[in-house]
């Protein structure tokens, strides 16, 4: 995918005010589809964690904030979704003064070519025009790096009403919503016959390369922020990495040892203190909260209690998985004219009380809890932790694993899909 065009410097104060300044700076980062497939194999939708020999782990709000530079505190991305073409046109007219035609849309998705053209056609001679320009820029980020669909060429119009009040855009937790979309994509890909995967693949790749450097194409350089830019243009230095197959990454993950997974990836021994901006670090208190992740119809679970070591805590045997009931996996197919702030009010209340759900140090029992945890973990999941053997057995017997996801189509890059 191609990065968006440079925005006019005159609007930079407004971009900074919306807190989308850092994610805008993420450059083009080449993807590796076989790595995505291998990570999907390790994702368990019931626990919302990856399962490795070293234990459970996950992409968290901390990773989102530091890898992409998206603030994660604030109001949830929620509200009403409508399938009416007339409602979409009315919203666009209200905010931009022009509405897309039928050919500019794909169902409830607005093609990014229309948004891009509208952005470039604006004359930035007053605050009204500049705010329209920045809103277009944000929508392009949504349709590519934060809420990308499989085509990478359109963005759902449900986000538009949340951009209406420009002064409140920064109050919304866009980072938690983007992480919810990534979780949903992993859950769907791990359960169904998916040939492609959407969501923030940039975030997924960067997480894997930061947490498990043995998977990375080149060593990361920690002096950049957002941290995703550690691997900007890596293919110039290791082009053959693109051609590694699933079996290669599967073998590496089968043998990951304790010292090869970086549990505390953002400590002072990993990143110099002045690399992470203070406005990003200021929200660190809730990075470890065990809470629901919500974005309109998307409802997922931030299971930090299962990966306490990522936050510097001792890991013991976790509690039973949190059931999201039938609301997990909800999709917008057919008429879904619903107010999700009402439908998910129980889960939204938990997000509202997020400061009450952050991880804390627990009293250490007589027996080391990590030993107890690993004994429990390997007894429960051990037969599925060495996937190379399982795949070999299935191939010999001629049986296909129904839970094995298909390899996603190759991604030309992980960054934003926009016209040049």
């Amino acid at each position: 995918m191609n990065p968006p065009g440079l925005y006019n410097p005159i609007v930079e104060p407004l971009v900074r005010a919306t807190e989308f300044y850092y994610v805008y700076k993420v450059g083009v980062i080449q993807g590796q589809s076989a790595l995505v497939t291998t990570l999907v194999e390790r994702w368990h939708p019931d626990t919302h964690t990856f399962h490795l020999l070293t234990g459970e782990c996950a992409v968290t709000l901390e990773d989102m904030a530091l890898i992409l530079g998206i603030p994660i505190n604030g109001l949830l991305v929620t509200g009403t979704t409508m399938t009416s073409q007339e409602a979409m046109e009315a919203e666009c007219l209200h905010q931009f003064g022009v509405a897309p035609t039928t050919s500019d849309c794909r169902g409830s998705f607005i093609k990014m070519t229309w948004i891009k053209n509208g952005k470039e056609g604006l004359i930035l001679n007053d605050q009204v025009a500049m705010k329209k320009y920045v809103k277009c820029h944000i929508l392009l980020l949504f349709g590519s790096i934060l809420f990308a669909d499989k085509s990478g060429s359109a963005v759902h119009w449900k986000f538009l009403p949340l951009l209406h009040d420009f002064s409140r855009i920064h109050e919304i937790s866009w980072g938690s919503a983007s992480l919810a979309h990534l979780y949903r994509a992993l859950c769907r890909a791990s359960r169904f016959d998916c040939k492609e995967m959407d969501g923030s693949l940039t975030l997924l790749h960067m997480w894997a390369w930061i947490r498990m450097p043995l998977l990375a194409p080149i060593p990361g350089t920690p002096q950049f922020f957002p941290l995703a830019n550690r691997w900007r243009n890596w293919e110039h230095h290791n082009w053959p990495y693109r051609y590694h197959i699933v079996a290669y990454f599967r073998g590496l993950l089968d043998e990951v040892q304790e010292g090869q997974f970086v549990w505390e990836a953002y400590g002072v021994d990993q990143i110099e203190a002045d690399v992470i901006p203070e406005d990003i670090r200021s929200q660190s208190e809730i990075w470890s909260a065990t809470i629901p992740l919500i974005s309109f119809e998307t409802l997922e679970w931030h299971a930090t209690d299962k990966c306490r070591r990522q936050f510097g805590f001792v890991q013991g045997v976790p509690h039973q998985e949190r059931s999201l009931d039938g609301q997990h996996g909800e999709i917008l197919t057919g008429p879904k004219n619903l107010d999700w702030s009402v439908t998910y009010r129980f889960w939204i209340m938990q997000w509202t009380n997020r400061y009450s759900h952050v991880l804390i140090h627990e009293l250490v029992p007589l027996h080391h809890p990590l030993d107890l945890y690993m004994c429990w973990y390997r007894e429960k999941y051990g037969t599925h932790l060495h996937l190379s053997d399982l795949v070999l057995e299935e191939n010999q017997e001629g049986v296909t694993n129904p839970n094995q996801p298909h390899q996603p189509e190759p991604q030309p890059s992980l960054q934003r899909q926009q016209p040049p």
Side-chain angles (χ1 to χ4, degrees):
M1 303 177 185
N2 296 320
L6 296 174
Y7 58 68
N8 191 313
I10 196 174
V11 304
E12 182 164 315
L14 292 178
V15 174
R16 287 182 177 273
T18 63
E19 299 191 354
F20 282 95
Y21 173 71
Y22 297 121
V23 70
Y24 155 75
K25 295 172 68 176
V26 176
V28 177
I29 300 171
Q30 188 72 39
Q32 220 299 349
S33 59
L35 174 59
V36 173
T37 296
T38 312
L39 291 171
V40 169
E41 291 179 343
R42 296 282 175 168
W43 180 262
H44 281 232
D46 294 330
T47 64
H48 286 92
T49 56
F50 296 103
H51 286 196
L52 305 174
L53 279 177
T54 52
E56 295 174 87
C57 52
V59 188
T60 69
L61 292 172
E62 178 185 36
D63 299 302
M64 169 62 75
L66 299 183
I67 291 174
L68 295 183
I70 293 290
I72 48 80
N73 207 357
L75 303 172
L76 284 172
V77 175
T78 190
T80 302
T81 54
M82 293 184 289
T83 57
S84 166
Q85 180 78 17
E86 291 77 12
M88 177 177 64
E89 292 174 357
E91 188 66 36
C92 289
L93 280 171
H94 181 62
Q95 294 206 43
F96 301 114
V98 62
T101 65
T102 303
S103 63
D104 295 318
C105 301
R106 196 184 69 242
S108 295
F109 286 76
I110 303 173
K111 293 180 181 179
M112 291 203 286
T113 50
W114 182 83
I115 301 170
K116 176 79 170 180
N117 292 336
K119 172 188 167 185
E120 294 180 345
L122 288 167
I123 300 174
L124 305 180
N125 55 1
D126 58 28
Q127 284 285 307
V128 173
M130 287 191 285
K131 288 179 180 179
K132 289 179 182 179
Y133 183 96
V134 173
K135 287 181 182 181
C136 289
H137 189 74
I138 291 172
L139 286 174
L140 294 172
L141 291 173
F142 285 175
S144 52
I145 191 171
L146 295 177
F147 305 105
D149 72 341
K150 294 176 181 178
S151 73
S153 62
V155 59
H156 202 289
W157 82 274
K158 64 187 176 184
F159 299 108
L160 258 180
L162 296 180
L163 302 180
H164 173 70
D165 187 344
F166 192 90
S167 66
R168 302 197 67 185
I169 292 175
H170 74 284
E171 298 178 3
I172 298 174
S173 178
W174 302 106
S176 69
S178 178
L179 187 58
H181 275 251
L182 176 61
Y183 276 28
R184 181 193 63 175
L186 287 165
C187 288
R188 293 180 66 186
S190 66
R191 283 176 163 164
F192 299 107
D193 183 11
C194 285
K195 295 184 178 180
E196 297 175 292
M197 179 176 158
D198 55 12
S200 183
L201 297 184
T202 298
L203 176 64
L204 182 61
H205 277 73
M206 298 308 104
W207 175 86
W209 292 345
I210 289 172
R211 298 288 181 175
M212 294 171 282
L214 78 163
L215 300 179
I218 56 175
T221 49
Q223 66 266 29
F224 295 114
F225 191 84
L227 299 184
N229 282 333
R230 288 184 180 190
W231 287 278
R232 192 170 182 168
N233 300 319
W234 62 260
E235 68 278 8
H236 295 170
H237 307 280
N238 188 3
W239 185 255
Y241 181 86
R242 292 189 66 197
Y243 300 100
H244 287 318
I245 62 175
V246 171
Y248 170 81
F249 291 109
R250 186 183 290 138
L252 290 177
L253 288 178
D254 277 350
E255 303 299 334
V256 168
Q257 301 301 309
E258 185 61 40
Q260 295 176 313
F261 189 92
V262 184
W263 291 104
E264 297 179 66
Y266 311 112
V268 293
D269 58 330
Q270 301 287 337
I271 302 174
E272 294 182 10
D274 60 351
V275 171
I276 309 301
E278 181 55 36
D279 55 337
I280 296 295
R281 283 201 183 276
S282 65
Q283 301 184 10
S284 61
E285 185 177 351
I286 67 164
W287 288 347
S288 70
T290 307
I291 46 176
L293 300 172
I294 297 171
S295 175
F296 289 102
E297 79 285 358
T298 302
L299 173 64
E300 301 293 337
W301 191 252
H302 194 231
T304 53
D305 58 322
K306 295 180 179 296
C307 51
R308 293 173 60 90
R309 285 177 285 174
Q310 290 184 214
F311 301 96
F313 298 112
V314 175
Q315 180 67 60
V317 176
H319 300 295
Q320 180 68 28
E321 291 81 24
R322 184 60 184 266
S323 173
L324 299 176
D325 304 319
Q327 294 170 323
H328 184 218
E330 184 77 59
I331 57 175
L332 291 179
T333 56
K336 285 289 176 66
N337 300 321
L338 294 175
D339 185 347
W340 297 97
S341 65
V342 175
T343 304
Y344 289 164
R345 58 184 177 273
F346 171 77
W347 304 105
I348 291 172
M349 184 59 66
Q350 294 192 45
W351 170 268
T352 303
N353 297 327
R354 55 195 175 278
Y355 287 95
S356 301
H357 300 290
V358 298
L359 297 182
I360 58 174
H361 282 290
E362 297 178 348
L363 295 176
V364 179
L366 294 177
H367 299 289
H368 198 290
L370 182 57
D371 293 338
L372 294 175
Y373 166 76
M374 292 307 300
C375 181
W376 164 84
Y377 175 71
R378 288 181 175 170
E379 181 178 347
K380 185 169 184 177
Y381 300 109
T383 56
H384 298 281
L385 297 179
H386 203 271
L387 296 182
S388 297
D389 289 346
L390 289 177
V391 172
L392 180 61
E393 292 174 4
E394 289 159 4
N395 289 341
Q396 289 175 341
E397 297 173 5
V399 178
T400 301
N401 180 358
N403 294 320
Q404 171 105 359
H406 282 240
Q407 180 170 333
E409 293 295 321
Q411 300 290 327
S413 69
L414 297 176
Q415 187 53 298
R416 302 169 278 260
Q417 173 87 24
Q418 294 186 29

